[in-house]
Amino acid sequence: AGCSFFPRVEEGKGQRSSLEERYRAFFCEHVTRVREFVRAHPSHALVEVDIEDEYVGERLASLFEGVDSTRWGQANKNAGVKKIPKT
């Protein structure tokens, strides 16, 4: 399968640095290993959330008792970074 939720990040003229590509590969391989582990061990539960989603607080509060949705937000968001839609 792959790392379906990792956002596409464009750098410069649409090219990515080799460091970014290595990070992306490491991250996606780790995600795949965790998903495979949970699939092989059904007593475990895996919860994946997009922490950049504006409704992540509500999502977590609906999943876990005692989570206060108002404690989630972006306090140090860089206004200069363009959001690229996920594909």
Side-chain angles (χ1 to χ4, degrees):
C3 184
S4 61
F5 67 89
F6 199 89
R8 290 183 36 198
V9 178
E10 301 292 333
E11 182 177 297
K13 296 181 180 176
Q15 296 183 358
R16 297 179 188 100
S17 70
S18 66
L19 179 60
E20 181 182 347
E21 287 297 330
R22 288 194 310 258
Y23 169 72
R24 181 180 304 273
F26 168 80
F27 182 85
C28 287
E29 288 168 11
H30 176 70
V31 167
T32 300
R33 279 192 307 274
V34 170
R35 288 174 177 168
E36 288 172 357
F37 178 86
V38 172
R39 191 173 9 263
H41 299 86
S43 64
H44 290 65
L46 176 64
V47 177
E48 294 184 17
V49 294
D50 178 356
I51 63 171
E52 292 183 349
D53 185 307
E54 65 180 300
Y55 301 106
V56 68
E58 288 85 356
R59 176 91 172 119
L60 289 170
S62 74
L63 294 170
F64 301 103
E65 185 177 327
V67 172
D68 180 356
S69 66
T70 63
R71 298 284 186 183
W72 285 85
Q74 292 184 346
N76 61 348
K77 183 175 180 179
N78 183 344
V81 173
K82 292 180 183 177
K83 181 133 176 121
I84 299 173
K86 296 177 186 176
T87 57

